[in-house]
């Protein structure tokens, strides 16, 4: 009896134990993406944030409580985790969506119910977006009840530091922006024809040779080089670990991409023996032009040894990445057709056309990654030349190809992440341009995709089966950087389109309304300003 009383006292003292209410809260928060259900009690006192959020030490020292405190802190909420009284409770409630959560805010405190720890980053961002000024000007959370869960589990953005550098600080700023809107995957494009951007200890020439180039196409005219050698640019392993850990603290997993077998000129310039070195005129170098380059890896034992070692280091640097991206797009076959070595290899393997060489690479890479317990992701070309392993993931981008590669992947029973260039290429033009040469769009890629166009996408086609629906695991925007020389322009390209992407990936199409969404976006301008983000205003002008 005495023992039961003691347990009861301990539980109560770790729960919500009273706080001073805020002055009345009259502002209703504008949340992006819009939660499934949200009731706010306007005009009433809310939860006062002036003195922080007290967390009973028994809560913050529990596994779940400490995860909640970390998520709330990372979202910018003022946490006091070592108190004798408490204003936060966290509880696991079974639900089939691991990101499902419910939030109840009262003047006394915050009650979180979550399906799993995976729900914490989004719940924390809803709270962070809900901070408003109460009637006396101090920060408060309104009394509210929220229930929410995303439509799709993978919500990503691809950044390309290969064509133009993107520094650690610029990358961290993009991660904060992604986290704010509940995107949870950074697809980091780390190797391409124009540069190799990640330190690999077992192959130092990748960065000694591959991380700089003789010149860069000018922004004004992509047909003309600027004549200026670039400085070496790559992320050291220490910087990679720093970015991965920072992303992790914000609930974002970083998915690295190393291109195989095409888009590999920088690697082949560093180690020419990896390419088709027996073709006439073979002279690999780090590319100084944009577009599709002819250099591809040769299917040789030394290439496979190289890929084994590179991907072993990559897997170690990205321990939480369940997927590793191998590129696979736009791999020309000409060099394979002209290489006596590859022709003989094809004959030995019983291959009838050079596309089967790419297919061979995809299978070897899937086997390699399976040994590290990771799944392969590739651009949708990976399904063009035959079946791929059942656990491979297809990143759908070629909206113009018929038959549609999204449908082909689904009918093969493969998981798909959708990033069609018809809607989610954030390097594409958004319509009216600022009167500033820095904002010139990419050469021929002038398709207009403003946020309304992004918002109009329905990621769940009406004509698919419930089984196929389960294979639609994600949505992603890609921001290639041929025309994006720095973080300033990157922000202009991504904001507010990133808000539209987030809502498309979170909320069913039939519940979305673009005009109502715009009102919420406008309410986020002060946050963009506070973060010094160069967003695109409604009239097309840059904010900074
Ligand atoms: C791509 O845009 N080449 C995937």
């Amino acid at each position: 009896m005495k023992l039961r009383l003691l347990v009861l006292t301990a539980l109560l003292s770790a729960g919500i134990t009273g706080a001073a209410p805020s002055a009345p809260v009259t502002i209703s928060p504008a949340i992006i993406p819009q939660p499934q259900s949200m009731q706010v009690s306007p005009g009433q006192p809310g939860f006062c944030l002036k003195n922080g959020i007290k967390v009973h030490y028994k809560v913050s020292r529990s596994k779940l409580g400490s995860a909640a405190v970390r998520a709330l802190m990372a979202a910018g909420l003022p946490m006091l985790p070592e108190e004798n009284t408490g204003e936060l409770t966290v509880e696991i409630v079974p639900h089939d969506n691991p990101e499902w959560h419910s939030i109840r805010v009262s003047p006394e405190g915050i009650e979180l119910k979550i399906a799993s720890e995976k729900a914490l980053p989004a719940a924390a961002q809803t709270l962070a977006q809900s901070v408003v000024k109460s009637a006396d000007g101090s920060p408060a959370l309104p009394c509210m009840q929220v229930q929410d869960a995303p439509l799709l589990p993978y919500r990503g953005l691809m950044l390309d530091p290969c064509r133009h550098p993107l520094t650690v600080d610029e990358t961290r700023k993009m991660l904060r922006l992604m986290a704010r809107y509940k995107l949870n995957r950074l697809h980091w494009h780390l190797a391409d024809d124009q540069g190799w951007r990640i330190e690999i200890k077992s192959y130092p020439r990748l960065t000694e040779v591959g991380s700089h180039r003789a010149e860069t196409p000018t922004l004004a005219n992509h047909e003309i080089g600027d004549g200026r050698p670039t400085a070496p640019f790559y992320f050291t392993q220490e910087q990679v670990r720093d970015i991965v850990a920072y992303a992790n603290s914000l609930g974002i997993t970083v998915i690295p991409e190393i291109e195989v077998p095409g888009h590999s000129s920088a690697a082949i310039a560093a180690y020419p023996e990896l390419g088709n070195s027996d073709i006439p005129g073979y002279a690999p170098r780090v590319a100084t032009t944009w577009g599709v380059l002819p250099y591809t890896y040769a299917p040789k034992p030394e290439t496979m040894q190289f890929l084994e070692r590179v991907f072993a280091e990559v897997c170690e640097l990205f321990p939480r990445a369940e997927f590793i991206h191998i590129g696979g797009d736009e791999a020309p076959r000409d060099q394979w057709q002209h290489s006596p070595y590859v022709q003989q290899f094809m004959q030995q393997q019983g291959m009838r056309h050079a596309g089967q060489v790419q297919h061979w690479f995809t299978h070897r890479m899937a086997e390699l990654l399976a040994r590290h317990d990771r799944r392969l992701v590739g651009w949708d070309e990976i399904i063009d030349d035959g079946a791929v392993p059942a656990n491979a993931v297809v990143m759908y981008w070629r909206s113009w190809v018929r038959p549609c590669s999204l449908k082909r992947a689904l009918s093969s029973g493969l998981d798909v992440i959708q990033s069609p260039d018809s809607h989610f290429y954030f390097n594409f033009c958004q319509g009216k341009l600022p009167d500033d040469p820095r904002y010139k769009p990419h050469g021929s890629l002038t398709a207009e995709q403003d946020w309304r166009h992004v918002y109009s996408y329905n990621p769940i086609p009406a004509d698919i089966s419930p089984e196929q629906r389960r294979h639609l695991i994600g949505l992603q925007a890609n921001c290639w950087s041929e025309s994006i020389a720095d973080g300033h322009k990157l922000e202009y390209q991504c904001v507010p389109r990133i808000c539209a992407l987030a809502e498309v990936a979170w909320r069913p199409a039939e519940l979305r309304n673009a005009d109502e969404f715009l009102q919420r976006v406008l309410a986020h301008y002060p946050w963009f300003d506070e973060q010094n983000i160069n967003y695109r205003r409604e009239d097309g002008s840059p904010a900074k």
Side-chain angles (χ1 to χ4, degrees):
M1 179 66 194
K2 220 172 168 183
L3 187 69
R4 281 181 65 191
L5 199 70
L6 248 169
V7 171
L8 192 67
T9 320
L11 273 176
L12 280 177
S13 64
I16 285 177
T17 46
S22 72
V25 178
T26 50
I27 306 167
S28 269
I31 309 293
I32 298 174
Q34 176 74 33
Q36 274 179 2
S37 96
M38 178 162 181
Q39 283 103 39
V40 182
S41 311
Q44 292 181 18
F47 178 82
C48 178
L49 285 167
K50 210 164 40 181
N51 301 318
I53 302 172
K54 296 192 183 75
V55 188
H56 197 288
Y57 68 88
K58 284 179 188 155
V59 172
S60 54
R61 290 182 197 173
S62 70
K63 182 176 171 292
L64 184 61
S66 71
V69 168
R70 273 184 273 119
L72 291 162
M73 253 179 188
L77 290 151
M79 308 308 291
L80 300 169
E82 285 296 321
E83 300 291 310
N84 283 317
T85 55
E87 297 165 344
L88 175 73
T89 61
V90 197
E91 192 187 329
I92 297 276
V93 170
H95 195 282
D96 55 12
N97 187 331
E99 290 187 89
W100 177 90
H101 55 274
S102 118
I103 305 169
R104 196 175 94 83
V105 178
S106 69
E108 286 74 43
I110 302 163
E111 289 172 32
L112 291 182
K113 293 192 169 109
I114 54 175
S116 77
E117 286 184 22
K118 285 191 176 159
L120 286 169
Q125 295 297 340
T126 296
L127 285 166
Q129 290 190 26
S130 299
V131 176
V132 290
K133 276 201 174 110
S134 62
D136 69 359
S138 58
L141 290 166
C143 286
M144 61 181 193
Q145 295 236 31
V146 178
Q147 281 206 22
D148 207 3
L151 187 66
L152 298 169
Y154 178 118
R155 303 174 298 279
L157 178 70
M158 189 219 67
L159 296 179
D160 166 19
C162 293
R163 279 48 182 263
H164 282 102
L166 198 63
T167 64
V168 169
D169 283 348
E170 287 166 335
T171 309
R172 286 166 72 100
K173 191 174 178 190
M174 290 307 290
L175 284 166
R176 288 193 290 280
L177 177 67
M178 290 171 65
R180 179 79 170 177
Y181 297 109
K182 306 178 185 177
L183 301 189
N184 58 5
R185 298 295 193 293
L186 168 65
H187 168 176
W188 209 12
H189 184 78
L190 288 167
D192 211 306
D193 295 306
Q194 296 82 10
W196 184 282
R197 305 298 182 211
I198 177 172
E199 178 188 19
I200 299 293
K201 303 256 192 219
S202 51
Y203 288 91
R205 284 173 60 81
L206 285 172
T207 43
E208 284 164 15
V209 173
S211 74
H212 53 98
R213 56 181 178 250
E215 64 173 348
T216 301
T218 61
L219 291 175
N221 183 345
H222 285 180
E223 307 308 313
I224 298 173
D226 65 4
R228 287 199 302 273
T230 66
F233 176 79
Y234 63 93
F235 298 99
T236 64
Q237 294 205 347
E238 200 183 329
Q239 288 171 323
V240 170
R241 287 200 178 91
D242 169 74
I243 285 180
V244 167
Y246 186 62
N248 192 12
S249 74
L250 293 165
I252 298 171
T253 304
V254 186
I255 309 293
E257 178 188 1
I258 304 288
E259 287 264 15
V260 180
H263 284 289
S264 49
S265 303
I268 297 171
Y271 294 98
E273 64 274 22
L274 303 174
N276 302 289
S277 49
D278 56 352
I279 59 169
Y282 184 71
R285 59 184 199 130
V286 182
T288 54
T289 54
W290 307 142
V292 177
L293 279 292
Y295 283 86
T296 52
Y297 290 116
K300 300 175 191 168
E302 55 264 50
T303 308
M304 286 321 296
Q305 188 182 55
F306 166 83
L307 293 172
E308 289 269 358
R309 289 189 181 163
V310 167
F311 279 85
E313 288 192 39
V314 167
C315 288
E316 204 223 297
L317 287 167
F318 296 88
R320 289 166 55 100
E322 73 274 52
F323 309 118
I324 303 280
H325 205 303
I326 65 140
D329 57 320
E330 300 174 321
R333 279 93 209 251
D334 304 29
Q335 291 196 341
W336 294 333
Q337 270 148 358
H338 291 109
S339 157
Y341 172 83
V342 178
Q343 288 303 308
Q344 193 188 21
F345 169 84
M346 287 174 59
Q347 221 168 34
Q348 278 162 2
Q349 299 279 329
M351 294 177 180
R352 289 183 313 282
H353 61 91
Q356 289 170 299
V357 178
Q358 168 147 8
H359 189 239
W360 180 89
F361 269 112
T362 307
H363 276 265
R364 297 296 80 75
M365 291 309 299
E367 287 160 11
L368 187 168
L369 292 172
R371 289 197 286 280
H372 294 277
D373 216 10
R374 313 300 174 97
R375 292 174 69 186
L376 174 149
V377 189
W379 299 109
D380 59 36
E381 284 93 331
I382 64 167
I383 57 170
D384 283 356
D385 296 294
V388 294
N391 75 344
V393 180
V394 176
M395 197 166 263
Y396 163 58
W397 76 279
R398 293 176 302 169
S399 61
W400 74 93
V401 166
R402 293 292 173 272
C404 171
S405 40
L406 166 65
K407 294 287 171 64
R408 278 194 296 132
L410 289 179
S411 45
S412 308
L414 296 166
D415 283 349
V416 179
I417 296 161
Q418 299 181 66
S419 62
D421 67 342
S422 58
H423 288 76
F424 298 112
Y425 269 40
F426 284 3
N427 46 302
F428 283 3
C429 177
Q430 301 169 81
K432 189 177 174 316
L433 287 167
D435 188 16
D436 177 337
R438 286 178 305 168
Y439 290 91
K440 196 173 174 345
H442 186 151
S444 59
L445 304 180
T446 51
E448 288 186 9
Q449 301 184 359
D450 64 359
W451 71 257
R452 277 185 191 272
H453 185 72
V454 173
Y455 199 80
S456 70
Y457 193 74
N458 178 5
I460 317 290
D463 57 346
I464 60 169
S465 68
E467 169 58 17
Q468 290 178 333
R469 163 67 186 92
R470 278 194 285 281
H471 289 290
L472 293 175
I473 62 168
L475 202 68
Q476 177 174 294
N478 301 326
C479 203
W480 302 103
S481 69
E482 288 91 337
S483 288
I484 301 175
D486 52 37
H488 184 82
K489 185 167 179 204
L490 177 68
E491 290 164 20
Y492 179 82
Q493 295 299 118
C494 289
V495 189
R497 286 194 282 196
I498 199 167
C499 300
L501 167 78
E503 193 146 306
V504 173
W506 195 275
R507 200 163 166 72
E510 61 277 13
L511 301 178
R512 290 192 258 118
N513 176 310
D515 294 326
E516 181 276 326
F517 170 76
L518 173 61
Q519 296 313 308
R520 278 181 286 124
V521 170
L522 296 176
H524 281 234
Y525 280 14
W527 184 79
F528 300 151
D529 287 326
E530 199 183 288
Q531 300 292 312
N532 198 28
I533 289 169
N534 181 31
Y535 56 100
R536 180 180 192 266
R537 294 204 191 92
E538 272 303 277
D539 63 2
S541 63
K544 302 279 168 244

